[in-house]
Amino acid sequence: MTARPSPPGVYGIDLGIALDQRRVLVADHSAFNRRTLARFLNWAGIRDIEFAATGSETLAKVESFNPDLLLLDVVLPEIDGIEVLKRIRQDRLHADIPVLVQTTLVSDALRTLCYQAGATDILAKPVNPGECIARVRYHLERLALIQELRQFRERIEKELKTARDMQLSLAPERASLDALAQRHNVSIDVFFESSEEIGGDFWSVFEIDSEHIGIVAADFSGHGITAAINTFRLHTLIGRLAPGELRDPGATLTICARRLYELLPLGQFATAFYGVLHSPSGELTYATAGAPSPLLFRQGTPEMIDASGLFLGVTDDEVYPNEKLVLEPGNHLFLYSDALVETRDDDGQMLGEDGLGEMATRAIDVAPLHPLGALLTSFSARFQGKVDDDQTAIWIRRN
Amino acid sequence: MEYKINSTPEATEILLSGRMTFSDHEKFRNVIATFDGQKGHQMVFDLSGLDFVDSSGLGMLIIARDIAQKKSLTFCLRGARDDVQRVMKVAKFNKMFTIID
Amino acid sequence: MKSPWLAAVGVPGPLMDRLATRLGFPSIARLDAQPPQSCMLLLHEMTEVALEPVLIHPYLAYIECRGDADEDAVAAILATLTADQFGMAMSTRTAFSLEAARLVCDALTSRAVLPPSLRPAVELALHEIVANAIIHGNLAMDQQFKDDPELFGQFCELLNERLNDTPAGQRWIQITANWTDDWIKVSVIDQGKGFTQKPAATPVDVEKPYGRGLGIAAELASAVTISDGGRRTTLRFDTRDA
């Protein structure tokens, strides 16, 4: 009969992470210590081990062997362990490698010196097997978990970037927007930015027929992925509507409200403005669902259009009425998301509708045909870095 | 090895702890000295505190059993664990002893 | 072979010097944390408290050497231990009160010789062999204990007497270890009469209260060899797959 194996995890908790692919560099001047440490590492399941006997050899091996962990003796010829450690930490490529420093002198001052130089952990010499194995395993497992987390993060980032591109593609491209504007004798400028990779704001300007263009701005509750998925839902809903329905903003919002009520989980909803501009006459028919008040510039002072109404998605029996106004040539209509009026500056002040109106008025003075750029310049001068919500701004001028 | 003895009218419970080895003969002699009682009185060895037992320790348990039999006391073991349980298995103790757990 | 160094804890200087001169070993007066390669350590007090801090250092051997020690005997032991990779030597009385098997296993583990997976088996098997060397070897306790309180008492008294009051208690117990990448061999050497009949070949009578030790060791080790007329027992453990 052969000896029974002892229960697993004699030294430390075994997380089941295999260490046999891990590379460990043992830097120790004594051949006896190198051999001993290598055996301990073998016991922990580590097979890929290389050795260095001097400081300069250690640095060279860190470069060529690219270890996952370094067991470093403080006392090394040529370049001492502390200096080796400092140099490794300065090397961007290997700055993250766990380094376990072994030392016979365990005074607090020396330990502090080791940690200051960048030691991950300290092993008192002579190194005993239980402690050595447990600590090496701990640091390697930690490394494996960090790497796993990093890979997961990279994957999510990549997917979010794809999602962002998809969300951006919901809105019309600049070139087709310009062409549309030209056909209907208007100028259209748009600014759109999510606070995270993807967000809950949705906007679109589209041609219904040769005389009508639709203008939609919606803001779903929350940010991030959930809100973004809802923008795709709304985009699909609108895309399915017939031109006859689309020419009637009240009917369009009534239908969308009903569908979203069926689709959205409790607590998710959207504010919306939907307007249809009859380009030959300048007549704007619109319906609203609790959106920020659009600003209308006809003469001098800005006018705030009432955009109240029940949010989309909270009930299935709301009927949204149509309102009308006329945009004469030279008049402006400015739609925006609440981030533009609710963000606080350094003094904790919000811009508010009035403030935004004044800012927009000055922007019209500066650039009468395309005021949005000037407006955003003065906005970011005051609120740069403060905005933590999705931002949308659509500026339409009838020419 | 350390031992503790709890007696009731029906049973004597002997709790052993630590390492039970060849160097514990003298102590075990004291344990055996307590073997007494009516016919059928129970001698219970609780081994749950034992970390290690060697062949001398096993021998002492056999002696204890035989002495109990001569005095018409019933004898049983309980609570062996880990290395102790392993050695008892190698020595086929389950065939010779009443083991209650 | 190059002579090993000699170091000591608590051993009188003159005794140490005489031993070093006699054997031609260089001696070191002061103990540093890391002993020189191949160094034997003499200990005045061979207790667990004294051994534990020095066992983790790679000394070649640990030898009990009291102030009143028989110099000839110590010198002889030191000379034989030069042949082994690890050694420990002490009086029977000391071995009786020491958990020698555990301490040897501690030393071998810290030298990266004994893998943790093999340790319980090596420790138990070695313990049994040390027990045999003490009880049946050096103390010559031929009389087996019996299932009679009286006789068991006699056995205990005789054991104590031999341990404390006779030269038997002063006889040496030596434990040595040698290893390669494939195996570890631990040997226990006593100074008893030895024995000629071959034990353990016959199945152990499970009902008997004695005679199990060697059987247990044989069960746990890869091989058991008995030599020197029964005074030396060697256990081999294969480590390749451990």
Side-chain angles (χ1 to χ4, degrees), chain A residues 112-397:
Chain A
T112 307
L113 190 71
C114 290
Y115 284 124
Q116 277 170 350
T120 313
D121 211 340
I122 292 172
L123 284 174
K125 277 180 102 166
V127 175
N128 77 56
E131 189 185 10
C132 173
I133 291 174
R135 293 206 181 182
V136 165
R137 176 179 280 153
Y138 169 77
H139 289 291
L140 284 176
E141 285 174 344
R142 189 171 160 274
L143 186 76
L145 292 174
I146 288 172
Q147 284 174 349
E148 208 171 277
L149 207 61
R150 190 178 289 150
Q151 280 165 9
F152 176 74
R153 211 184 121 161
E154 280 166 6
R155 185 166 67 78
I156 291 294
E157 272 172 6
K158 206 183 275 176
E159 295 200 348
L160 280 175
K161 194 186 167 300
T162 311
R164 178 190 170 83
D165 293 345
M166 285 166 68
Q167 187 171 45
L168 288 174
S169 73
L170 292 183
E173 283 173 24
R174 186 69 242 177
S176 65
L177 203 58
D178 287 345
L180 178 148
Q182 190 147 23
R183 282 199 296 283
H184 294 270
N185 203 25
V186 291
S187 328
I188 303 171
D189 290 292
V190 179
F191 174 75
F192 177 75
E193 194 167 274
S194 300
S195 61
E196 292 162 30
E197 283 86 350
I198 50 179
D201 275 11
F202 171 75
W203 73 274
S204 191
V205 176
F206 52 93
E207 191 170 65
I208 303 170
D209 57 43
S210 61
E211 295 190 337
H212 293 92
I213 56 175
I215 304 148
V216 59
D219 181 358
F220 280 88
S221 52
H223 320 269
I225 294 174
T226 324
I229 288 171
N230 290 334
T231 67
F232 284 88
R233 286 174 157 150
L234 182 60
H235 178 260
T236 309
L237 284 179
I238 292 173
R240 283 192 195 140
L241 296 177
E245 289 166 320
L246 287 173
R247 276 193 292 269
D248 181 346
T252 297
L253 285 196
T254 302
I255 294 168
C256 288
R258 207 166 54 230
R259 298 271 167 80
L260 287 174
Y261 177 74
E262 291 159 8
L263 286 169
L264 299 187
L266 199 66
Q268 292 180 21
F269 53 85
T271 67
F273 171 94
Y274 177 47
V276 173
L277 181 68
H278 180 247
S279 49
S281 68
E283 186 184 64
L284 178 77
T285 309
Y286 62 93
T288 58
S293 298
L295 294 176
L296 181 65
F297 300 87
R298 295 197 274 213
Q299 272 115 28
T301 53
E303 300 164 52
M304 273 171 28
I305 298 172
D306 175 26
S308 60
L310 213 54
F311 299 149
L312 304 183
V314 294
T315 162
D316 62 349
D317 57 3
E318 180 71 1
V319 175
Y320 293 85
N322 280 321
E323 306 290 341
K324 283 184 196 298
L325 59 83
V326 175
L327 278 184
E328 300 294 347
N331 288 175
H332 306 260
L333 177 70
F334 179 40
L335 310 175
Y336 54 87
S337 59
D338 51 10
L340 272 81
V341 288
E342 288 177 0
T343 300
R344 291 178 187 276
D345 63 12
D346 282 335
D347 302 325
Q349 298 297 310
M350 296 192 297
L351 195 51
E353 278 92 352
D354 293 341
L356 185 64
E358 283 166 29
M359 203 179 259
T361 309
R362 284 197 298 276
I364 295 170
D365 291 342
V366 177
L369 294 181
H370 297 282
L372 184 60
L375 169 64
L376 291 172
T377 306
S378 25
F379 181 81
S380 49
R382 188 167 149 193
F383 296 99
Q384 182 94 58
K386 308 270 180 238
V387 184
D388 61 355
D389 198 356
D390 306 328
Q391 303 173 69
T392 305
I394 306 171
W395 194 296
I396 293 172
R397 179 185 188 274

Side-chain angles (χ1 to χ4, degrees), chain B residues 8-71:
Chain B
T8 65
E10 298 78 37
T12 302
E13 192 185 50
I14 298 143
L15 294 112
L16 303 181
S17 59
R19 295 165 62 92
M20 184 183 188
T21 70
F22 59 85
S23 57
D24 293 311
H25 287 111
E26 195 65 39
K27 274 188 189 150
F28 204 73
R29 208 177 149 192
N30 298 334
V31 172
I32 287 170
T34 69
F35 277 39
D36 205 4
Q38 301 278 317
K39 188 172 183 237
H41 183 82
Q42 267 208 320
M43 304 301 300
V44 182
F45 273 75
D46 187 323
L47 311 181
S48 59
L50 272 188
D51 301 318
F52 181 87
V53 66
D54 69 358
S55 63
S56 298
L58 294 177
M60 289 185 249
L61 289 174
I62 292 175
I63 287 167
R65 181 201 62 168
D66 293 351
I67 290 171
Q69 267 170 10
K70 282 190 178 168
K71 296 189 171 185

Side-chain angles (χ1 to χ4, degrees), chain C residues 20-231:
Chain C
T21 313
R22 180 164 169 176
L23 290 156
F25 292 179
S27 68
I28 36 177
R30 199 173 67 87
L31 276 181
D32 284 320
Q34 190 106 351
Q37 290 272 316
S38 129
C39 178
M40 292 185 174
L41 186 65
L42 299 170
L43 294 115
H44 170 67
E45 283 281 338
M46 198 137 177
T47 59
E48 276 163 38
V49 175
L51 277 170
E52 262 162 8
V54 288
L55 270 181
I56 49 175
H57 295 293
Y59 288 102
L60 203 56
Y62 302 80
I63 302 100
E64 183 178 19
C65 182
R66 305 183 60 86
D68 55 0
D70 174 351
E71 273 182 51
D72 294 344
V74 175
I77 293 280
L78 286 171
T80 62
L81 283 174
T82 54
D84 298 299
Q85 285 166 280
F86 174 86
M88 202 184 258
M90 69 216 96
S91 72
T92 307
R93 201 183 301 164
T94 300
F96 190 80
S97 61
L98 211 57
E99 289 171 18
R102 183 175 66 77
L103 294 166
V104 168
C105 285
D106 279 352
L108 295 180
T109 301
S110 71
R111 283 158 178 73
V113 170
L114 175 60
S117 58
L118 208 58
R119 167 150 190 172
V122 174
E123 186 173 333
L124 178 58
L126 179 58
H127 174 92
E128 292 299 341
I129 301 304
V130 171
N132 276 349
I134 294 171
I135 308 285
H136 305 304
N138 285 353
L139 297 184
M141 298 290 292
D142 302 329
Q143 184 198 341
Q144 300 298 352
F145 37 80
K146 298 276 167 32
D147 53 358
D148 179 295
E150 197 100 332
L151 294 174
F152 185 71
Q154 284 177 14
F155 177 88
C156 292
E157 274 155 28
L158 186 62
L159 184 68
N160 280 341
E161 189 190 308
R162 293 204 176 159
L163 206 51
N164 295 312
D165 306 324
T166 66
Q170 289 304 318
R171 287 179 182 149
W172 288 88
I173 293 280
Q174 226 174 300
I175 305 169
T176 64
N178 292 282
W179 56 85
T180 65
D181 281 344
D182 296 334
W183 47 255
I184 306 172
K185 284 181 185 171
V186 281
S187 297
V188 179
I189 300 130
D190 64 54
Q191 298 181 326
K193 293 197 304 285
F195 52 86
T196 45
Q197 81 191 67
K198 222 177 156 192
T202 52
V204 178
D205 179 353
V206 294
E207 281 285 338
K208 274 193 193 148
Y210 50 83
R212 264 184 195 78
L214 200 57
I216 288 175
E219 184 106 335
L220 296 168
S222 306
V224 182
T225 319
I226 295 166
S227 55
D228 193 14
R231 280 176 288 265

